[in-house]
Amino acid sequence: MSSTTAEHKAQSPVSVRCAVITVSDTRTLETDTGGRAVVERLTAAGHAVVERHLVPDEPDRMRALLVALCDRGDLDAVLLTGGTGITRRDQTYETVCGLFTKPLPGYGELFRMLSYQEIGAAAMLSRAVGGLVGRTVVLTMPGSPAAVRLAMEQVILPELGHLVREAQR
């Protein structure tokens, strides 16, 4: 790690205020293992989960919820799980990308690279994407518990405070 990166991380918030959204037509809060895994990892790392939502894979409803959350001003990040595949119903990628004011292409690239090491070429089916909506960090990940674990432990949690710091400068 470069000295500049280390310095930025040292100046980054230790606790980030987050919303967690599960995109699913079939899950309930009780059966939402992906969303539960995101919440558990965030809280274990000392971050605050301010909101948790379950929304169907419908672009208008997803967009309205994301805009409302990002406009609030008391959230630093919104993490979404689900709807990142390539089936007809998977609309998370298109919906979220349409709201980005600054995309973070490296997030999806890094997630797929790490995913490839675990599941091989099937990693290309994931359309995990990240970026900023205004000054709010928005990151998506697949809905499976294994994908959530990978994204949270190897990509999101190590950089979440740093991402928020940079987004709010």
Side-chain angles (χ1 to χ4, degrees), residues 31 38 64 82-83 112 135 144 161 169:
T31 62
V38 174
R112 281 180 288 280
R135 296 174 72 185
S144 79
R169 286 183 41 177

Side-chain angles (χ1 to χ4, degrees), residues 53-94:
H53 296 273
L54 190 79
V55 65
D57 208 331
E58 297 174 10
D60 291 341
R61 291 181 64 183
M62 215 184 317
R63 188 177 304 106
L65 178 57
L66 269 170
V67 167
L69 291 171
C70 292
D71 283 349
R72 284 176 42 160
D74 68 336
L75 289 171
D76 303 308
V78 179
L79 305 182
L80 294 95
T81 178
T84 62
I86 61 170
T87 72
R88 191 169 11 116
R89 289 291 298 157
D90 291 325
Q91 301 286 324
T92 301
Y93 177 87
E94 290 80 8

Side-chain angles (χ1 to χ4, degrees), residues 72-155:
R72 284 176 42 160
D74 68 336
L75 289 171
D76 303 308
V78 179
L79 305 182
L80 294 95
T81 178
T84 62
I86 61 170
T87 72
R88 191 169 11 116
R89 289 291 298 157
D90 291 325
Q91 301 286 324
T92 301
Y93 177 87
E94 290 80 8
T95 304
V96 173
C97 284
L99 296 173
F100 284 153
T101 52
K102 289 193 178 189
L104 295 168
Y107 167 74
E109 294 164 357
L110 182 56
F111 173 79
R112 281 180 288 280
M113 180 197 75
L114 293 168
S115 183
Y116 177 80
Q117 294 171 1
E118 290 190 5
I119 65 169
M124 77 171 86
L125 277 73
S126 170
R127 298 184 305 148
V129 65
L132 302 182
V133 176
R135 296 174 72 185
T136 304
V137 174
V138 177
L139 304 170
T140 73
M141 64 199 97
S144 79
V148 167
R149 176 197 47 77
L150 176 69
M152 292 298 294
E153 293 176 4
Q154 294 192 42
V155 185

Side-chain angles (χ1 to χ4, degrees), residues 7-30:
E7 181 181 317
H8 284 185
K9 282 189 170 194
Q11 296 170 358
S12 298
V14 175
S15 181
V16 170
R17 299 164 301 174
C18 301
V20 175
I21 300 173
T22 298
V23 179
S24 176
D25 292 329
T26 60
R27 300 270 188 234
T28 65
L29 285 177
E30 294 75 32

